Amino acid sequence: MTDLKIGVVGIPGKWSTEVLADALEARTGFRCVVDMADAVLDLENRTLFAGGRNLCELDGLVIKKISQDYSPATLDHLEMLRVAEACGVRIFSRTRSILGLVNRLSCTVTLANAGIAMPATCVTENVDEALAALQRFGSAVFKPLFSTKARGMLVMDADEGEGLLRQRITEFQDENPVIYLQKKVRLSGRDLGMVFLGGEYLGTYARVAQTGSWNTTILHGGKYEPFEPDGDLIDLARRAQAPFDLDFTTVDVGLTDEGPVIFEVSAFGGFKGALEGASIDAASLYADYAIAKVSP
């Protein structure tokens, strides 16, 4: 057992947060779960307190969940953690890496610039242009720039009629000033989560729709299943996560008639899918990885 002090940034009481804190405590004897909603940053004194503890004095912090829901406030929490990082605390994954992922558009642009195959995508603030893109695509998924597990996403079909579609797009824009839409691809009710630790491939699980929902997320009734990808698919996912320099991530991959596409690279990765779908104890592996990185 080491005497390192490595905390977990997450949601107290949530399974993935607590199982990671358990794994670190078992190895170090130290437990610290940080809810960034309670954090206080004092720039004059260069401190970042949460739960009565100065996070700037820790050896490391593993970010499992930065906030309950993605929003622009998530970026603020990451900026606060940059102070601890500047004080020498090793953050997993580094704040600059996560900052490039929390906003869906930032993630998409990085993937596109790296030449990674994705569904056709249009981003605009112009309702007419969004409607024109939808008509080209035939069917599209409208996505908030800050969301997880398909929250806030809407599917629209070109055959709904121009008047109704214009109204629906305008209503979507009321909540999402920048309109982001992707062509809806045929997935046969299944997509993949491909797991990486320190850039190394660990395994893959499938998310399988069970309720007739257009998406496969567990939030909407999907379930996890094992999946064995071929080498080309592993290589695609590895290339997709590489530009972000993440310590732990899950790459979301769709298998279509035209070939595989990348939906997104997760800022934090999924523990439950890895465990239930691929028998990967990600919490234990991540704890060992973090300890090795901060050990003298």
Side-chain angles (χ1 to χ4, degrees):
M1 183 176 292
T2 76
D3 59 357
L4 295 172
K5 292 180 171 57
I6 304 175
V8 177
V9 176
I11 308 300
K14 291 291 186 180
W15 178 81
S16 61
T17 297
E18 298 296 342
V19 74
L20 180 55
D22 289 345
L24 286 165
E25 183 180 19
R27 290 157 174 78
T28 67
F30 178 80
R31 186 186 191 89
C32 174
V33 174
V34 177
D35 184 347
M36 287 302 296
D38 297 331
V40 179
L41 174 63
D42 183 342
L43 287 174
E44 180 183 9
N45 294 300
R46 303 290 293 173
T47 62
L48 178 62
F49 273 87
R53 187 184 301 276
N54 183 7
L55 305 183
C56 294
E57 297 176 348
L58 299 182
D59 297 298
L61 280 167
V62 184
I63 305 177
K64 187 62 197 80
K65 193 79 170 178
I66 196 70
S67 54
Q68 186 69 52
D69 298 303
Y70 281 14
S71 73
T74 303
L75 303 178
D76 299 332
H77 291 159
L78 288 167
E79 294 295 342
M80 294 167 74
L81 286 169
R82 285 181 61 205
V83 175
E85 201 168 35
C87 290
V89 181
R90 176 61 160 90
I91 308 291
F92 302 87
S93 293
R94 290 181 172 87
T95 55
R96 60 173 171 79
S97 297
I98 297 176
L99 282 165
L101 281 167
V102 172
N103 182 316
R104 176 169 278 108
L105 180 55
S106 179
C107 176
T108 299
V109 168
T110 298
L111 290 171
N113 287 346
I116 302 299
M118 293 183 296
T121 304
C122 175
V123 183
T124 181
E125 294 183 49
N126 187 300
V127 171
D128 290 336
E129 294 295 340
L131 177 59
L134 171 58
Q135 291 169 334
R136 290 197 307 272
F137 297 161
S139 182
V141 183
F142 287 68
K143 302 182 177 183
L145 295 187
F146 296 92
S147 74
T148 60
K149 303 184 186 303
R151 292 182 179 92
M153 296 184 186
L154 296 175
V155 175
M156 300 188 200
D157 297 313
D159 60 9
E160 292 179 42
E162 183 172 324
L164 177 59
L165 288 172
R166 188 181 300 278
Q167 177 184 337
R168 293 189 67 194
I169 294 171
T170 299
E171 290 172 353
F172 179 82
Q173 191 181 40
D174 288 342
E175 299 293 330
N176 306 277
V178 176
I179 305 168
Y180 176 114
L181 63 149
Q182 281 190 328
K183 182 178 180 179
K184 187 173 180 291
V185 296
R186 294 172 60 89
L187 295 175
S188 301
R190 178 178 64 183
D191 65 358
L192 309 177
M194 304 186 71
V195 186
F196 290 82
L197 178 65
E200 297 299 319
Y201 172 71
L202 295 183
T204 297
Y205 58 89
R207 287 176 293 253
V208 184
Q210 300 292 302
T211 62
S213 171
W214 66 270
N215 71 75
T216 63
T217 63
I218 305 307
L219 182 66
H220 291 88
K223 69 173 185 177
Y224 299 119
E225 290 183 355
F227 186 89
E228 289 295 332
D230 61 24
D232 288 342
L233 201 56
I234 295 171
D235 182 63
L236 172 63
R238 180 180 286 111
R239 288 189 292 109
Q241 58 86 41
F244 301 100
D245 190 28
L246 295 158
D247 290 300
F248 181 77
T249 188
T250 302
V251 181
D252 289 346
V253 183
L255 303 178
T256 77
D257 295 339
E258 292 77 33
V261 294
I262 302 297
F263 289 124
E264 64 181 19
V265 177
S266 171
F268 311 114
F271 282 5
K272 186 157 286 188
L275 184 61
E276 295 183 4
S279 300
I280 298 169
D281 183 358
S284 293
L285 293 172
Y286 204 178
D288 289 337
Y289 173 90
I291 289 167
K293 289 291 185 182
V294 300
S295 294

